[in-house]
Structure formats: C-alpha cells, structure tokens
Amino acid sequence: MSLYGECLRKYIEESGMSVSRLAKETGFNRTLLQKYLSGDRLPKTVQESCQLAEALMLSPEKQEELLEQYNRSRYGIRQYDGFLMIRDIVRGLVDYRMQSAYVRESARQSVSPISGEVAGGSGARTAEGAMDALSAREPSLAGFTGSRVCTGSMEVENALRAMLRAQVASDGSQSSDAQSGAAPVDVSQLCDKGKIQIISQPEAGSLLKTVLSVCAGHDVKVEQIVCLDGDSQEGNNNIRTVYNLIPMLFGSVDYESFYYYDKKDAHINSMSLLPILILTDTAAMVCSYRMDEGLLFTNEESVRFCRSQYQRIKSRTSPLTRRFRDDITEWSTFMRTFMTDLVVAEIYINPTPCITYGLDEEILSEVLCLGEEGNQYLLDIFARNKDTFLGASNKKTSINLFEEAGLRRFMETGRSDEYPSGWYTPIPVPSRLRILEGMIALAETGHMRYIMTNPDRLPLDPDLLIYVGESVVFQYHQDSHLSSYFTVNEHGVRRSFREFIPFAQENGWISTGAETIRRMKELLEEYAKKWQ
C-alpha cells in the first residue's frame, strides 16, 4: 500500500463514508478508488486528490496531509523532499547570513581541545595549557606531538575547535616542518597549506556549523570534498548536499567545494569507519559520521600522510562551486559572467521580474551610474548579448518567477533587485511603462515565460537571485551591493530546479503563464491611468 493509499483509507474510515458513497459523490469509478486504497494506482493530478479530500469534508490540516502523502507517493520521498528544499532555498529559510554562532571570548574560556594530558612529545602539557597558548595567538598547536582518541560528541568538537583556532591564529605562511626544523618535503605536498581541508558530507553532525563559528570573519580558506550521487534518478540527493552547503557559501569565510560521483549511501553512513577527515597545517582528525568518535593527530608524519591522501582524492574531483566576492576591481569580470549567465538562463527566480529582458539601450544609458568607462562597458555587453538571448529563447523559452508585489515595487520605485541599486538611478516613469509593455510582448510572442508566485505558498527571498542554466547561479544582495555570487556546476542540481517548476505549478505555488500575462496587463493599465 502506498503512503497516499494508507492516508486516504484512514480518512475514509474516520468520515464513516463507504467507498461506494465516495465514488458516487465524486464521480470516480469504485474500482479505481479501490486501486487508490491498495496503492496500485494514484490520482493523475493534484486536483483529483483535492476533489476526494473535499468530498470527505476534511479539515485544511488533513487536506494538507493527504496532499503531502500524494506527492510523496507520486514523486518518491527523496524527490519530494528535494522539492521542499528548493522551496526553502527560494523562500530564504536557510540562514544565508550565518556568522559566528558563538561569542569567541566565552568559547575560548569554556572549550578545551581534549580533557587531561596529551600523549607524546617531551614535556607533555594539559589541554588547558594548550588553550592558554592559543589565546596568546601561537601559530600552531605547540605541545601536541602525538595522537589522541576522542570519545563523545563534546570531546570531538572541543578537539576540532582547538585545531581550527590554531589555524586561524596562524597566518598560514609557515609550515609545521619549517617550525620544527624537519627536512624539507616535496613542494607539491605544501601547495595546499594555509587551508582547512575537509572530506565530509555537509549534513554530517555539526561540522560546518563549528567551522563557521570559529572561522567566520577570519582570513582563512576552507576547502571541502563531497560525494554526489551520479545516478540520474537521484538528483534531489544532490540538492540536499547543496542545501546544506549554502550557509558556508553565503557565510563570511573563503570557501570552495569539490565533488566526485558515487553511490554515497553505500559508504558514507553510520556503518562507515571514520569517514570524515579534517586537515589543517599542523593537525589532522578523522571522525565518525555522527562526530561522536575521532582520532586527532599532530605528529608530522601522520599529518603529512593525511595530506597526501587528501591530495590524491582531490585530484579526482571537479569544482562544485565557484565563488565571486564583491570587489570594485572585479566588477567588469562579474558583469561579463552575469550577462552570459542571463543569456543562457532557463529559469530566473527573484521577487522582482528580470527587467533586462524588457530594457533597451536608450533606457539603460539613461540610468547607469558606473562612470563613463563602466557605463560603456556594460552597454557593449548588453548590446552583444541581446540578440543572443532572443535567439536562444526561440529554442527554449526561459522562465521568470517573480512576485506581483515585486513587480509593483519596480513600478513604484523604478528599481529592480536584479542589480545592486547603487549601479543605476531609478528608471523614469515612462520607461517603466515601456519596460512592462516590452515584457508582456516577449511573453505573448513566446520569447519568455513570466510566472507570478503565490506569496502565501512560495514567498521569495528579497535579497536572493537564482539563475538556472548551464549551472545554477546564486546571487545575494546586501546593503545595495552584490555581497556574494557563486555557481553550482552539477547536472543533477540543475535538473532538480527544472523539475521543480511543473511540480510547483500543479501544487498551486505558482501561477500559469496565461494568468500572469493577464495580471501584468491589468497592472500596466492601472499604472498608466495612475500616471496620466
């Protein structure tokens, strides 16, 4: 029996209505209803499922539960949960702005790397003494020259914090070999020093939260290798991975991730033997998936061995995310990438509509404020890509998800969240009307699919823009500037976003294109009268 069949049977029994009576009330074939109950069949559409719920006179809460079980049965639990994660991303429920979760001073006083004395080396000292040394900003975990078993989540986290603090305290310019006077090692083994390197799935324990809480705001690089499912039917497993990486990608650390394909459930799970590796310049740690058991190494031979193993795995990976941080010297490079992404975008998600599609060079030249050279540069990019965009749209129509409130905000203020507001002056009223007319024309000629979201079911994060094309592009605006921009290069993630659109439409989270065009025309008429 399917999840939907079980849920439907429960509510039929609670209602006291027979299957025959329900068939008569809804017009469904009785044999078909029996197949729904046995799990042999599912209603073809959400509307059919809702029709049964209404006939049973279910409360809104029970209707919602029946619909959820229908979606889980129809798409499978993993794919449906992936759709919910995409919903949470576009709604902004993920904490993109996650900074340090702990007050550093209190954390320093309350946390020690391991309890008791640390084995190995001459004159071994207590963990408390090691933390006192760290507070004096020593460049390494001086005094830790052996290995230590860590048992229990607290002890593992304390040891991890000590490792991270030591790396943060160090400028990364000196290697442990140089400090100890050891003979030089091969340069290729030193190329990645100065980084915190991790092999772990992002949902493992509280690893990434701990990394953020210690490293946020510091000049330290974090690199992570993750496993993705290569099975084309498991794209939403990869969405889960990206979903859990987002706090790192939007957090205040220099972060980069890499991926390889495998059937991750087969080996990265509770049955695995210490599958997590955390590596700094002077220490290495391997942990269980739940971060409740671990081994800490600080002797040079062990750290060197772990580093060589990490490099061997990294050589077989591909970049998962590429990141851009707002820098005035890099804006032209960003804009070139931005316009290219815009041209090939299949899906664009933002509360305000993508006004670039309705712009012309005359309007753009009126409002840009990037300086004479910057204005001309952007105009040249725009002119080169406009025809390319229209040509690409003829082959595959792009989708623009936005809120009616976002379109109203643009019409009222002349500003779009598509660009940081400091890059352009408010667009004049006549041009706003012209842009909206152009957008409606693009929609009616099939060059663009504008779709309004249902704000009660799918409100959009006002600071986040998402493009889905050759890669998935996340853009975050803060304080009228582009704060961060990164891309996810993985086919399963792209596919999940594409599959999300028809799912969201059927479930009433977004409108149809025809409904949206009708509403856009009504708003055009409303504002034209208002500004006459």
Side-chain angles (χ1 to χ4, degrees), residues 17-37:
M17 185 182 296
S18 67
V19 175
S20 298
R21 175 69 183 277
L22 180 60
K24 186 176 180 180
E25 291 283 340
T26 59
F28 282 79
N29 181 279
R30 183 178 181 278
T31 302
L32 186 60
L33 285 181
Q34 291 288 4
K35 289 184 177 181
Y36 292 169
L37 294 173

Side-chain angles (χ1 to χ4, degrees), residues 303-328:
V303 174
R304 187 181 298 111
F305 173 78
C306 290
R307 182 171 291 114
S308 67
Q309 292 295 304
Y310 181 93
Q311 289 299 328
R312 188 173 300 170
I313 293 175
K314 183 182 174 182
S315 68
R316 303 171 189 171
T317 66
S318 301
L320 176 62
T321 57
R322 298 184 184 276
R323 188 188 187 106
F324 169 84
R325 279 285 190 176
D326 191 19
D327 187 321
I328 193 64

Side-chain angles (χ1 to χ4, degrees), residues 138-318:
E138 284 190 2
S140 68
L141 280 167
F144 288 83
T145 56
S147 62
R148 178 77 180 190
V149 174
C150 301
T151 305
S153 299
M154 183 62 72
E155 195 168 340
V156 170
E157 183 171 343
N158 290 349
L160 175 59
R161 287 182 178 279
M163 288 176 59
L164 298 175
R165 286 200 182 95
Q167 186 72 19
V168 166
S170 170
D171 62 6
S173 61
Q174 302 180 60
S175 71
S176 57
D177 303 304
Q179 294 164 17
S180 64
V185 296
D186 187 86
V187 175
S188 64
Q189 293 193 19
L190 293 175
C191 63
D192 274 334
K193 287 199 172 183
K195 292 181 179 179
I196 296 167
Q197 296 172 314
I198 301 168
I199 300 177
S200 172
Q201 294 307 106
E203 60 267 28
S206 58
L207 174 60
L208 295 187
K209 288 184 179 179
T210 302
V211 171
L212 271 177
S213 70
V214 175
C215 301
H218 291 282
D219 185 18
V220 61
K221 294 183 177 180
V222 180
E223 187 177 275
Q224 183 173 3
I225 295 173
V226 300
C227 176
L228 297 181
D229 276 317
D231 188 334
S232 61
Q233 301 303 313
E234 300 292 347
N236 282 289
N237 272 357
N238 299 339
I239 278 288
R240 178 183 294 275
T241 298
V242 171
Y243 178 88
N244 286 292
L245 285 179
I246 282 181
M248 291 294 291
L249 291 162
F250 279 119
S252 55
V253 292
D254 187 353
Y255 177 80
E256 189 173 15
S257 60
F258 298 84
Y259 75 95
Y260 63 96
Y261 282 124
D262 207 340
K263 190 67 176 175
K264 68 180 183 183
D265 286 349
H267 61 96
I268 302 180
N269 52 37
S270 59
M271 296 294 289
S272 300
L273 176 65
L274 304 182
I276 296 175
L277 170 66
I278 304 107
L279 185 65
T280 66
D281 284 355
T282 57
M285 191 174 188
V286 288
C287 303
S288 63
Y289 189 69
R290 295 186 180 185
M291 299 284 292
D292 55 4
E293 294 179 297
L295 281 170
L296 173 67
F297 304 100
T298 54
N299 55 303
E300 293 170 10
E301 294 82 1
S302 298
V303 174
R304 187 181 298 111
F305 173 78
C306 290
R307 182 171 291 114
S308 67
Q309 292 295 304
Y310 181 93
Q311 289 299 328
R312 188 173 300 170
I313 293 175
K314 183 182 174 182
S315 68
R316 303 171 189 171
T317 66
S318 301

Side-chain angles (χ1 to χ4, degrees), residues 370-441:
L370 296 168
E372 183 176 350
E373 183 178 354
N375 287 0
Q376 189 58 51
Y377 184 84
L378 185 55
L379 282 167
D380 290 344
I381 293 176
F382 181 84
R384 285 198 303 270
N385 284 281
K386 190 68 174 179
D387 290 340
T388 306
F389 159 68
L390 291 175
S393 296
N394 284 329
K395 297 177 183 177
K396 192 164 187 177
T397 304
S398 297
I399 299 171
N400 182 188
L401 295 187
F402 64 98
E403 295 178 339
E404 178 178 330
L407 178 54
R408 285 188 175 275
R409 185 163 62 251
F410 167 68
M411 296 302 288
E412 297 283 351
T413 66
R415 292 192 179 278
S416 167
D417 296 332
E418 184 180 357
Y419 304 103
S421 59
W423 289 10
Y424 67 105
T425 60
I427 295 173
V429 165
S431 295
R432 295 176 211 172
L433 294 172
R434 204 160 85 210
I435 289 171
L436 183 51
E437 287 174 347
M439 290 162 56
I440 293 171

Side-chain angles (χ1 to χ4, degrees), residues 335-371:
M335 284 309 302
R336 187 183 301 112
T337 306
F338 173 80
M339 289 301 294
T340 302
D341 289 331
L342 177 61
V343 166
V344 300
E346 295 178 31
I347 303 170
Y348 171 95
I349 304 171
N350 185 239
T352 57
C354 185
I355 64 170
T356 296
Y357 299 145
L359 281 171
D360 57 43
E361 292 176 59
E362 180 184 347
I363 296 173
L364 196 59
S365 64
E366 290 176 351
V367 301
L368 286 176
C369 48
L370 296 168

